């Protein structure tokens, strides 16, 4: 028995070590891409892109589930070319993560107009038809995605929204420019660096031990309920 436990513990500690090692390797790689524009641009060559239109991700329905299709850089360039867009638009994409094999993942919104981009937004129906999917409101599809895609698309949407609403410096009013990964924006006039915001939230589950209190909003899909949540104000404790 003790021998068995010893083997199990060693296996578990090996598994923990491997998980930790993978996490550290991925974090280092992502950090490098956030700091080095050239490395990030290179990572786009072999990376995968998730597409959005006005912050709604492109999804494909598969039975009761949604799938989030990935596109390669080549496919994206072909798509933009087909709709008369410059491939420079790809520079509006943001880094959202990477696989264990260090395949970088990016998100690009084809509907939002960035101040630095001369491109007009792509028409939604035409793109949907071309990519055989639909740009779907994320909150409605969240529970019909797998855990990895739900997390990744939530990160992507938050980051894309932050860039869309922080295109100008709050001190000088001049345009800010994102770095390649989209981990920050810099004002060229006074060099102020802006980083994406974190918004602390609290989620509570009210329970009497056997039952719990859930709520729903009218736009939730049928059968969807959630625990009660809210944002924390400054100074709240
Ligand atoms: Zn400024």
């Amino acid at each position: 028995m003790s021998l068995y436990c010893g083997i199990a513990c060693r296996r578990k500690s090996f598994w923990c070590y491997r998980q930790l090692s993978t996490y550290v390797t991925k974090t280092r790689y992502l950090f490098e891409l956030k700091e080095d524009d050239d490395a990030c641009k290179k990572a786009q060559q072999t990376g995968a892109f998730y597409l959005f239109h006005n912050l709604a991700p492109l999804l494909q329905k598969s039975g009761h589930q949604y799938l989030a299709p990935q596109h390669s850089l080549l496919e994206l360039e072909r798509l933009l070319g087909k709709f008369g867009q410059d491939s420079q638009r790809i520079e509006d994409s943001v880094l959202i993560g990477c696989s264990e094999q260090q395949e970088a993942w990016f998100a690009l919104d084809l509907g939002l107009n960035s101040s630095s981009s001369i491109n007009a937004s792509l028409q939604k129906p035409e793109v949907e038809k071309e990519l055989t999917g639909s740009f779907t409101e994320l909150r409605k599809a969240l529970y019909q995605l797998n855990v990895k895609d739900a997390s990744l698309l939530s990160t992507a949407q938050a980051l894309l929204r932050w860039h869309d609403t922080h295109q100008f410096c709050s001190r000088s009013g001049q345009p800010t420019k994102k770095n390649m990964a989209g981990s920050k924006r810099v004002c060229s006039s006074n060099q102020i660096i802006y980083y994406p915001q974190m918004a602390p939230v609290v989620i509570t589950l009210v329970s009497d031990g056997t039952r719990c209190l859930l709520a729903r909003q009218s736009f939730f899909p049928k059968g969807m309920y959630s625990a009660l949540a809210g944002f924390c104000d400054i100074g709240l404790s």
Side-chain angles (χ1 to χ4, degrees):
M1 185 64 185
S2 62
L3 179 66
Y4 174 78
C5 284
I7 292 169
C9 282
R10 271 201 298 279
R11 273 190 190 156
K12 192 173 179 203
S13 63
F14 175 73
W15 182 82
C16 287
Y17 171 76
R18 192 176 166 276
Q19 289 292 103
L20 188 63
S21 167
T22 304
Y23 175 79
V24 171
T25 307
K26 276 171 62 173
T27 305
R28 279 188 183 147
Y29 180 60
L30 289 173
F31 184 75
E32 183 196 342
L33 299 188
K34 286 176 185 176
E35 293 300 309
D36 186 338
D37 282 359
D38 291 334
C40 189
K41 202 167 172 73
K42 197 173 162 199
Q44 289 181 349
Q45 308 282 331
T46 52
F49 291 79
Y50 292 87
L51 299 179
F52 285 70
H53 195 284
N54 283 322
L55 302 176
L58 179 79
L59 301 177
Q60 290 169 337
K61 193 91 179 162
S62 171
H64 293 299
Q65 292 294 108
Y66 277 111
L67 304 174
Q70 294 181 329
H71 295 88
S72 69
L73 182 69
L74 207 63
E75 289 169 333
L76 201 48
E77 286 172 342
R78 200 175 299 141
L79 177 81
L80 290 170
K82 184 160 186 171
F83 289 95
Q85 300 274 315
D86 197 298
S87 60
Q88 195 189 347
R89 192 186 183 104
I90 294 167
E91 294 193 6
D92 288 340
S93 63
V94 294
L95 176 71
I96 53 171
C98 73
S99 70
E100 288 186 13
Q101 291 73 38
Q102 298 194 344
E103 177 197 55
W105 297 324
F106 299 88
L108 176 64
D109 198 302
L110 301 170
L112 297 175
N113 277 321
S114 79
S115 61
S116 59
S117 172
I118 52 164
N119 299 305
S121 72
L122 270 71
Q123 292 303 307
K124 197 164 94 166
E126 281 85 343
V127 180
E128 286 178 328
K129 194 176 170 198
E130 180 68 23
L131 299 175
T132 58
S134 59
F135 292 104
T136 310
E137 196 184 324
L138 184 56
R139 278 213 280 188
K140 288 183 181 170
L142 202 60
Y143 297 103
Q144 288 164 276
L145 286 160
N146 67 41
V147 175
K148 179 208 141 200
D149 285 343
S151 167
L152 212 54
L153 294 180
S154 300
T155 301
Q157 190 194 52
L159 198 52
L160 290 169
R161 181 182 285 119
W162 181 81
H163 280 283
D164 185 45
T165 53
H166 290 78
Q167 294 179 29
F168 296 91
C169 174
S170 57
R171 170 68 66 83
S172 65
Q174 294 299 308
T176 54
K177 191 174 186 308
K178 72 182 264 298
N179 65 340
M180 191 59 73
S183 60
K184 62 185 172 188
R185 300 188 72 90
V186 183
C187 172
S188 55
S189 158
N190 52 20
Q191 307 307 313
I192 292 180
I193 302 174
Y194 294 90
Y195 292 100
Q197 283 168 312
M198 301 265 288
V201 296
V202 172
I203 294 180
T204 55
L205 185 63
V206 180
S207 171
D208 66 359
T210 54
R211 299 170 303 165
C212 60
L213 178 66
L214 299 174
R216 71 187 308 280
Q217 297 195 42
S218 56
F219 67 82
F220 281 6
K222 195 180 169 199
M224 178 179 160
Y225 294 84
S226 75
L228 305 170
F231 286 94
C232 298
D233 210 349
I234 291 171
L236 283 181
S237 58

